Amino acid sequence: MQDQDIQKAMPSIRQAVNDVETIRRDGKGPTGELVLFPHLPYILSEDLLMDEKERQQLAKLEASATSIDVVVSIGIGGSYLGNKALFDAFCGPYWNMGLASERQLPQVFFAGQNADPESLSALTRYLEVKAKTTEKQLNIVLLVISKSGSTIEPMSAFYALYPRLSAICHVEVITITDKQHGLLLSQSQEKHWMHFSVPEGIGGRFSVLSQVGIVFCALCGIDYREMIQGAKECDQACQGKDWKENPALALALFRYLATVSRGVTAEVVMPYGDRLNSFGRWYAQLMAESLGKAKNRQGKTIHYGRTLVPSLGTTDMHSMTQEHQEGPNNKLIQFITVQNMDTSMPVHCQEGNVTGTVDIGRIMKTAQRANAEALASEQRMSCHIALPAVTPRTMGGLFYFFMLTVAYEGGLAGINAFDQPGVETYKKIMHSYLKGYMSGK
């Protein structure tokens, strides 16, 4: 980026800063809608998003987590992607194969993230077999997450799992839904299920730092207090009006300039390390729903946004890098690395006539550095964010940092980053078809 690009964008920078300041101060988005995500770093100390009753329920959940055998987190979109990112970061692919029992914590499964009968049936069969082959009665928690209380995929999964498992297991239902309205809220009140709210002013794509992610953490033994502390530290570091002193504003500015001045139409988010794989998919929803907009605030058609492509280093260096390096120069590659991994594993390495011992983690870091330098050699854009380690605190900061970047970029582009009108179009068509099917039409 050149100085003249930044100088030309100064009016947009001032608008973005003013937008985020207004949201922080008044809780109002560009068109007056309630936007409260800047309060997420303070959710455990303020009563705006979480009340004392919910904090007491959280304490009970933490205390009872070791008595739970299985947690099934049921949700889709923001009600799934954030929790899956947390699971991958702190539990991992081998959690249900023994690590959970070693730590006296529940196995964790996900359902309702797709309308796929085969995967839901397979999960049901697995839990039925586990219940029949376990000496004591299986204690299962169904964590049902739907702000509206009527989202078709998770509610269908719940209606499939609840009666089948209740017949052979002890099933406890915990719901996270709207505080005042909806079918799921009514059922929770009628059947006395433990209920948490999805706060008003917190869209699904911002909800990982709300009750949606916090309750999941409490059930899985993840330190949600440290996660929220990380978000708070990020918020305090990103208050400046000068882009040089505000990392979230700086990244938003460079992405915006890349989009409007350099022809960037795609963004590849490429974390290095399996623990961050699902983070890329969480970020894909955040960016797509926040920034993919047909019109600006004046009603002019601009079709702003970038196609988000989640990928994984080093895995996708062996599948996608050829296109990144020699395909159309229309991409920004967003690298995320971890400086200090929890585990080291030295292995034999041979490069030409040189042999030695190299830690696998160093191979990963070297691969990312080489990838960035190769892209730069062809004048292709990349950005690098390095986490000191994968901890609840750094993940809380990372989640919140990207939330701030889309808020700032929405201001820079003159769009509303807090609505999602395009999502409603397909929903109306789908519900019409389903209604017709059930009516025999």
Side-chain angles (χ1 to χ4, degrees):
M1 294 300 171
Q2 306 298 318
D3 287 340
Q4 58 263 32
D5 295 317
I6 296 172
Q7 290 305 314
K8 186 177 178 180
M10 285 307 297
S12 297
I13 295 172
R14 287 191 287 269
Q15 180 63 56
V17 169
N18 180 68
D19 280 359
V20 175
E21 284 185 340
T22 300
I23 292 169
R24 281 184 165 127
R25 183 183 65 247
D26 303 331
K28 299 290 185 180
T31 57
E33 69 273 40
L34 196 64
V35 178
L36 297 178
F37 85 88
H39 289 270
L40 289 171
Y42 310 95
I43 188 171
L44 298 178
S45 55
E46 296 179 346
D47 290 333
L48 181 64
L49 301 181
M50 179 183 289
D51 59 28
E52 186 58 32
K53 177 184 176 182
E54 289 185 317
R55 294 192 187 101
Q56 291 175 0
Q57 289 183 157
L58 268 177
K60 290 181 181 179
L61 282 184
E62 285 185 283
S64 64
T66 56
S67 65
I68 301 168
D69 298 304
V70 174
V71 170
V72 182
S73 182
I74 304 174
I76 196 169
S79 300
Y80 160 70
L81 291 166
N83 287 349
K84 183 62 165 63
L86 288 167
F87 178 81
D88 281 7
F90 301 112
C91 301
Y94 308 110
W95 182 256
N96 293 336
M97 299 180 189
L99 291 178
S101 59
E102 283 181 16
R103 302 183 191 181
Q104 296 184 315
L105 287 167
Q107 290 183 305
V108 179
F109 300 93
F110 294 90
Q113 75 273 23
N114 198 4
D116 185 339
E118 293 182 344
S119 60
L120 185 61
S121 177
L123 173 61
T124 305
R125 288 197 303 272
Y126 171 81
L127 293 175
E128 287 173 342
V129 170
K130 183 177 177 67
K132 292 174 182 177
T133 56
T134 301
E135 291 184 5
K136 67 181 184 67
Q137 187 180 41
L138 206 62
N139 187 12
I140 295 180
V141 167
L142 298 181
L143 177 62
V144 190
I145 310 169
S146 171
K147 184 169 186 176
S148 68
S150 58
T151 312
I152 191 165
E153 294 93 343
M155 294 309 298
S156 297
F158 173 61
Y159 293 144
L161 288 169
Y162 183 56
R164 290 169 173 81
L165 297 179
S166 295
I168 54 175
C169 307
H170 172 72
V171 176
E172 180 181 355
V173 178
I174 301 173
T175 63
I176 307 178
T177 187
D178 189 90
K179 193 173 186 177
Q180 298 179 327
H181 308 285
L183 177 61
L184 190 55
L185 175 65
S186 300
Q187 291 178 326
S188 300
Q189 293 170 337
E190 177 185 339
K191 299 186 178 182
H192 305 288
W193 294 333
M194 184 180 289
H195 167 253
F196 293 85
S197 63
V198 179
E200 287 297 312
I202 303 296
R205 56 191 180 270
F206 295 89
S207 66
V208 65
L209 298 177
S210 75
Q211 287 86 331
V212 171
I214 289 173
V215 171
F216 180 81
C217 286
L219 289 167
C220 300
I222 301 169
D223 193 339
Y224 63 83
R225 295 177 184 84
E226 280 290 290
M227 180 176 72
I228 296 303
Q229 178 62 26
K232 181 178 178 181
E233 290 171 359
C234 176
D235 185 52
Q236 293 170 346
C238 296
Q239 297 275 349
K241 298 181 180 181
D242 186 339
W243 67 269
K244 296 177 182 178
E245 299 175 358
N246 184 332
L249 176 58
L251 183 55
L253 172 61
F254 289 133
R255 287 176 173 164
Y256 166 71
L257 291 175
T259 302
V260 300
S261 302
R262 297 292 185 271
V264 167
T265 60
E267 182 174 337
V268 179
V269 59
M270 196 170 199
Y272 275 70
D274 293 339
R275 294 176 70 181
L276 295 177
N277 190 12
S278 291
F279 179 85
R281 297 189 66 196
W282 171 84
Y283 173 58
Q285 183 201 13
L286 177 72
M287 196 194 76
E289 291 187 347
S290 298
L291 301 180
K293 300 296 163 66
K295 298 180 182 294
N296 65 14
R297 297 175 197 173
Q298 288 72 46
K300 181 181 177 181
T301 299
I302 60 171
H303 293 296
Y304 187 83
R306 297 176 298 280
T307 300
L308 201 290
V309 183
S311 62
L312 180 67
T314 62
T315 302
D316 289 319
M317 292 176 69
H318 296 265
S319 61
M320 297 184 184
T321 293
Q322 170 62 37
E323 199 280 337
H324 299 169
Q325 192 71 28
E326 294 188 353
N329 193 356
N330 65 340
K331 288 169 284 295
L332 168 66
I333 314 298
Q334 171 67 73
F335 296 118
I336 305 174
T337 63
V338 182
Q339 293 177 319
N340 299 298
M341 293 190 165
D342 291 347
T343 303
S344 63
M345 185 172 288
V347 295
H348 175 76
C349 184
Q350 182 169 347
E351 292 290 340
N353 61 354
V354 179
T355 61
T357 300
V358 180
D359 186 79
I360 290 180
R362 178 172 289 277
I363 296 173
M364 178 176 285
K365 292 177 183 177
T366 304
Q368 183 276 322
R369 179 180 176 180
N371 198 354
E373 290 183 10
L375 290 166
S377 72
E378 297 289 339
Q379 299 297 301
R380 291 168 184 262
M381 290 185 174
S382 70
C383 174
H384 181 197
I385 294 175
L387 300 181
V390 178
T391 67
R393 183 175 290 202
T394 59
M395 288 302 294
L398 191 65
F399 282 126
Y400 189 73
F401 178 74
F402 279 106
M403 293 178 193
L404 279 177
T405 65
V406 298
Y408 279 121
E409 189 174 347
L412 288 161
I415 60 173
N416 187 350
F418 305 102
D419 63 358
Q420 52 186 65
V423 173
E424 301 307 317
T425 304
Y426 89 83
K427 287 184 179 180
K428 291 177 182 178
I429 297 170
M430 182 181 74
H431 290 307
S432 174
Y433 280 133
L434 289 172
K435 185 177 180 180
Y437 173 78
M438 290 185 289
S439 301
K441 297 179 181 178

